[in-house]
Amino acid sequence: MKLSRLAAIPLRQFYLYRGSAARVVPLFAWVTVDMVLWGFMTKFLSGMAHTSYRFVPALLGAVLFWDFMTRVMQGVTTAFFEDVWSRNFLNVFASPITMPEYIAGLLVSSIATSLVGLAVMIVVAALAFGLSFGVYGAMLLPFVLVLFLFGMALGIAAIALVLRWGPAAEWFVWPIPALLSPFACVYYPMTTLPAPLQWLARLLPPSYVFEGMRAVVGGRHFEGALLAAAFGLAAAYILIAYWLFARVFRYAVQTGLIARYSAETVS
Amino acid sequence: MEFGVVREPVLRVENLRKDYGAVQAVRGIRFEVCPGELVGLLGLNGAGKTTTISMILGVLEPTAGSIQIDGIDLRRHRSRALACTNFAAVYAPLPGNLTVYQNLRIFALLYGVQDFHARAEMLLDAFDLRKFRNTKTGILSSGEQTRVGLAKALLNRPRILLLDEPTASIDPASARDIRHSIRSFARESQVGVLWTSHNMYEVEEVCDRVLFLSQGEIILEGDPKALPAQYGKSTLEELFIGVAREPLDLGALNQ
């Protein structure tokens, strides 16, 4: 893997973000709105519920982490969409860049953009609503890492979808986090779901993270084996997503889809 | 060409074939391009020119056959082979939302160009782009964008340069300058050039050799200045039209 080729992708993103308010503002605008909305919601629930349940770290924290995972996914997809929107596939894929380098470049771009969103969310949630990350203790880092890995896997799978089905498939990509959120147990415990859907939840690494968050906040024990399962699943999804992208790319090269991408089909 | 000097081709295409289902777009063609040689790839729309170029660029997998770029097998060593290649085509403009300099910087990284700053400055001068250095590529005229594409195509000192109608949207004076620049680059740097164009005067002026492609097959090959006379035609354009009308009856062209 050549770092210079990999670096071309995040550098391109840097150039684009540097000169474009339309790209910079969404990095923090929507997550800020989410923090404010759910911040007030947690305050309201705290006042209404008359329980010792800690809504701020359990609910607002969960929203923050879910938004972070969404930003990671979108960091990958938007970096890829820049090549779609500027019809740059032929120029990029006729260059010596390899598939691992290209994907790694997208991931580095995503790290940079998602960290901006995370920093803004942390500041808003902490200053406006008193969310303290100390409450998660040593589990904070593994929780963030699992969501980060799964966000990457979703991003890679999403761009495979767009590469295969053309630019219009972009509209399949944006709702992916919303489609997954009911089964990822972001807002409620896994036991809330009917039994068959609990099986689906167990296949999603974020559900372990959010179960773990609620356990830690509630002062309960969270088994390390469950965290290991979350890591294992997230790593497996990255491999599956990469395999999927590589397979779609191969199809695109075999059929000429890369060269005729704007046509969306080769038939 | 110097006598006694054996020049290994920078591009060797052997039995190259591309099928799309039952349709054979390219039918087992073979040709070579030597260092410093400009080869014209001619043919009607749909003859297989762009399919051939796409295969050489590694964005389209051949059904059969092999492509060697500077002795490197494209299928087995894609990245290494493409590092010796570059291209410019009217259908592949550079991202319009980056400046000229930013585009060159990005593609220099992709192609592993070591002395980027010196190389970029030289190319900005060579293609009269200095005044557009910090201008978004998308707001340049089509001719100026073509020149940016050519500057990008020469960034990595390619061993083989693929030009798909490089002067299609350029005024005659600029087109002549560009032809002159590319020819000079090819001669000085010993770059092999595969050039497609529908402008037969341009091809006659620039190319050392032409390949006529028809229905995915090379049906004629030779010196563009001598070829028309060999087939009883006065110009390359007349020959092109004749071949286009009767691609399988080359004997008739002689009569």
Side-chain angles (χ1 to χ4, degrees):
Chain A
M1 187 174 289
K2 276 207 168 183
L3 285 180
S4 66
R5 295 197 291 246
L6 183 162
I9 308 300
L11 180 64
R12 185 268 307 270
Q13 290 303 98
F14 171 71
Y15 285 150
L16 290 173
Y17 276 84
R18 194 174 60 174
S20 169
R23 288 182 175 85
V24 172
V25 170
L27 286 183
F28 57 84
W30 306 122
V31 292
T32 305
V33 169
D34 254 2
M35 285 302 99
V36 171
L37 173 68
W38 284 94
F40 285 122
M41 182 71 88
T42 51
K43 279 184 93 167
F44 170 70
L45 291 172
S46 299
M48 287 284 288
H50 303 297
T51 72
S52 59
Y53 190 72
R54 300 162 77 186
F55 281 99
V56 170
L59 192 54
L60 184 60
V63 172
L64 184 151
F65 284 127
W66 184 253
D67 272 358
F68 170 66
M69 192 212 73
T70 304
R71 293 289 135 185
V72 173
M73 185 201 97
Q74 290 177 352
V76 175
T77 55
T78 47
F80 179 78
F81 288 155
E82 293 294 351
D83 282 322
V84 175
W85 295 329
S86 59
R87 297 181 165 203
N88 199 31
F89 274 173
L90 198 52
N91 290 312
V92 169
F93 293 128
S95 82
I97 195 165
T98 63
M99 196 44 53
E101 288 163 353
Y102 183 70
I103 296 291
L106 297 179
L107 296 181
V108 171
S109 304
S110 172
I111 290 170
T113 53
S114 59
L115 285 181
V116 171
L118 181 64
V120 171
M121 285 192 290
I122 287 172
V123 169
V124 173
L127 295 183
F129 302 102
L131 176 62
S132 166
F133 289 88
V135 74
Y136 305 117
M139 298 302 272
L140 178 65
L141 189 63
F143 286 163
V144 169
L145 275 176
V146 168
L147 294 173
F148 193 76
L149 293 176
F150 190 60
M152 284 181 175
L154 285 181
I156 297 168
I159 63 173
L161 197 71
V162 175
L163 181 60
R164 176 62 184 83
W165 299 108
E170 185 185 322
W171 300 109
F172 292 141
V173 169
W174 300 113
I176 287 175
L179 288 172
L180 290 178
S181 63
F183 315 107
C185 305
V186 186
Y187 310 101
Y188 39 74
M190 199 183 285
T191 49
T192 312
L193 293 172
L197 293 182
Q198 285 186 32
W199 278 105
L200 182 59
R202 285 191 190 98
L203 294 174
L204 298 174
S207 61
Y208 295 87
V209 170
F210 296 116
E211 287 289 282
M213 275 179 63
R214 282 184 285 270
V216 170
V217 169
R220 300 189 307 275
H221 176 67
F222 181 61
E223 285 181 38
L226 292 175
L227 192 61
F231 266 112
L233 277 173
Y237 283 126
I238 285 193
L239 292 177
I240 292 168
Y242 184 80
W243 171 81
L244 182 68
F245 186 82
R247 200 174 158 84
V248 170
F249 184 78
R250 182 84 203 279
Y251 167 83
V253 170
Q254 282 175 333
T255 57
L257 184 61
I258 294 277
R260 293 177 283 176
Y261 187 67
S262 62
E264 301 184 7
T265 176
V266 287
S267 56
Chain B
M1 190 187 296
E2 292 173 51
F3 289 104
V5 178
V6 178
R7 297 190 303 174
E8 282 297 310
V10 285
L11 174 66
R12 177 176 279 151
V13 169
E14 300 256 14
N15 303 321
L16 193 64
R17 210 182 85 213
K18 182 65 191 176
D19 300 343
Y20 293 109
V23 178
Q24 289 188 306
V26 173
R27 305 174 180 214
I29 60 173
R30 62 171 69 203
F31 63 90
E32 292 178 348
V33 179
C34 288
E37 187 184 28
L38 287 94
V39 176
L41 189 62
L42 312 180
L44 290 174
N45 292 327
K49 303 186 299 293
T50 300
T51 300
T52 302
I53 284 182
S54 294
M55 288 192 279
I56 298 168
L57 287 173
V59 292
L60 180 63
E61 190 174 291
T63 306
S66 72
I67 297 166
Q68 290 204 343
I69 297 167
D70 210 20
I72 303 164
D73 185 83
L74 179 64
R75 189 190 288 263
R76 291 173 61 201
H77 305 287
R78 186 176 191 275
S79 187
R80 269 179 62 211
L82 291 177
C84 317
T85 313
N86 214 320
F87 80 107
V90 283
Y91 49 80
L94 297 182
N97 48 17
L98 295 176
T99 68
V100 169
Y101 195 78
Q102 287 170 344
N103 263 316
L104 293 180
R105 181 91 186 96
I106 298 300
F107 283 96
L109 285 170
L110 288 174
Y111 281 91
V113 176
Q114 299 293 324
D115 55 342
F116 166 67
H117 291 289
R119 187 72 181 157
E121 297 304 323
M122 190 279 281
L123 290 167
L124 287 172
D125 285 335
F127 288 101
D128 196 20
L129 292 166
R130 183 162 292 284
K131 55 183 173 291
F132 303 122
R133 194 179 193 276
N134 297 315
T135 304
K136 290 272 174 74
T137 309
I139 63 170
L140 299 178
S141 71
S142 55
E144 288 156 356
Q145 289 192 41
T146 300
R147 291 188 342 242
V148 179
L150 288 166
K152 166 257 171 189
L154 291 167
L155 262 175
N156 61 323
R157 297 180 179 83
R159 299 290 294 134
I160 179 75
L161 180 60
L162 307 170
L163 301 174
D164 203 348
E165 302 187 46
T167 59
S169 53
I170 294 183
D171 66 79
S174 302
R176 190 178 59 185
D177 292 344
I178 283 175
R179 286 195 291 272
H180 177 75
S181 297
I182 293 171
R183 201 173 166 87
S184 301
F185 273 119
R187 294 284 188 259
E188 287 162 16
S189 311
Q190 289 296 288
V191 177
V193 179
L194 189 65
W195 183 307
T196 78
S197 175
H198 287 130
N199 180 344
M200 293 303 116
Y201 299 101
E202 174 176 273
V203 170
E204 207 167 330
E205 182 192 331
V206 172
C207 295
D208 303 305
R209 189 159 54 92
V210 291
L211 311 168
F212 273 94
L213 203 57
S214 176
Q215 295 172 17
E217 288 178 293
I218 295 173
I219 56 168
L220 263 184
E221 181 176 353
D223 180 342
K225 294 176 183 68
L227 212 49
Q230 287 172 25
Y231 286 89
K233 301 291 176 186
S234 54
T235 64
L236 193 63
E237 185 157 291
E238 261 187 50
L239 178 63
F240 181 95
I241 293 167
V243 169
R245 283 182 182 156
E246 297 290 340
L248 299 176
D249 192 11
L250 293 174
L253 288 170
N254 249 331
Q255 292 159 17

